[in-house]
């Protein structure tokens, strides 16, 4: 059976994964090559935009990546073994994110400047700011752990919000957990 003209032959398998507060949900997208997308919240529109960039069609479906993310969020997993599809990244962005993924493990942190130097982006303040922008454009947060990248003088920003960054760092033992009075 041949491919229908005008219909993408690639698929982005999407599952919305419930997550503890303050996260609420993660939208997870997987291609034939691997995990390509993690979005904070139930955001099928973001999955649709990513699918268009990939030349893919969105289809509903579970994945090993979503299962591993659920285990991580429940505190039962410290690392991910699923293949990654880096297709939504390019150039310096990809090099920095691959360096982050390869060199900053569970419970570890790095500063923007240190990551700039590790990835060959330079050690100057402008390189650190560039790394900050790259963290904000990371299409696979949590798995490619941009929450582990800190400012030289504090937590720094995070696309999922400060409360989410603090929660993820507490989950990994980097920060003390928040008190729960409810």
């Amino acid at each position: 059976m041949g491919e229908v003209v005008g219909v993408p032959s690639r698929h982005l398998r999407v599952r919305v994964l419930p997550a503890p507060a303050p996260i609420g949900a993660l939208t997870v997208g997987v291609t034939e090559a691997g995990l390509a997308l993690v979005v904070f919240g139930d955001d099928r529109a973001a999955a649709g935009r990513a699918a268009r960039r990939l030349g893919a069609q969105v289809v509903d479906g579970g994945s090993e990546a979503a299962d591993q993310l659920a285990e991580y969020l429940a505190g039962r997993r410290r690392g991910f073994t699923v293949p990654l599809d880096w297709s939504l990244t390019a150039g310096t962005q990809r090099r920095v994110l691959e360096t982050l993924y390869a060199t900053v493990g569970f419970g570890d942190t790095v500063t923007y400047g240190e990551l700039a130097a590790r990835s060959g982006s330079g050690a100057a303040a402008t390189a650190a700011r560039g790394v900050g922008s790259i963290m904000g454009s990371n299409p696979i947060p949590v798995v490619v752990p941009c929450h582990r990248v800190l400012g030289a003088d504090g937590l720094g920003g995070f696309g999922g919000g400060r409360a989410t960054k603090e929660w993820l760092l507490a989950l990994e033992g980097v920060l003390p957990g928040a008190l729960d009075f409810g």
Side-chain angles (χ1 to χ4, degrees):
M1 181 169 196
E3 178 180 334
V4 178
V5 176
V7 176
S9 60
R10 290 187 73 186
H11 293 98
L12 182 67
R13 216 169 46 252
V14 174
R15 176 176 166 204
V16 176
L17 177 68
I23 298 170
L26 292 175
T27 301
V28 180
V30 177
T31 68
E32 293 80 2
L35 177 63
L37 184 71
V38 176
V39 179
F40 290 100
D42 180 345
D43 194 344
R44 293 178 191 273
R49 288 188 300 274
R52 283 190 294 282
R53 285 184 56 205
L54 293 167
Q57 178 181 3
V58 173
V59 296
D60 289 333
S63 65
E64 178 65 22
D67 294 343
Q68 287 189 19
L69 274 160
E71 291 170 1
Y72 167 83
L73 294 171
R76 296 189 312 264
R77 174 174 288 276
R78 298 176 133 230
F80 299 93
T81 59
V82 294
L84 301 182
D85 180 344
W86 295 97
S87 297
L88 293 172
T89 66
T92 301
Q93 176 200 33
R94 183 170 180 164
R95 185 178 70 247
V96 169
L97 291 173
E98 286 179 335
T99 301
L100 171 63
Y101 183 72
T103 66
V104 184
F106 185 94
D108 293 331
T109 61
V110 65
T111 66
Y112 295 102
E114 290 167 342
L115 184 56
R118 280 185 195 179
S119 64
S121 300
T126 54
R129 282 192 293 278
V131 165
S133 293
I134 289 169
M135 295 304 104
S137 68
N138 178 4
I140 319 171
V142 182
V143 175
V144 177
C146 51
H147 62 280
R148 297 178 189 153
V149 184
L150 309 177
D153 58 355
L155 284 181
F158 187 63
R162 184 179 176 100
T164 296
K165 185 171 189 168
E166 290 173 349
W167 189 91
L168 291 168
L169 291 171
L171 175 71
E172 295 187 8
V174 174
L175 294 178
L179 296 176
D180 183 2
F181 293 106

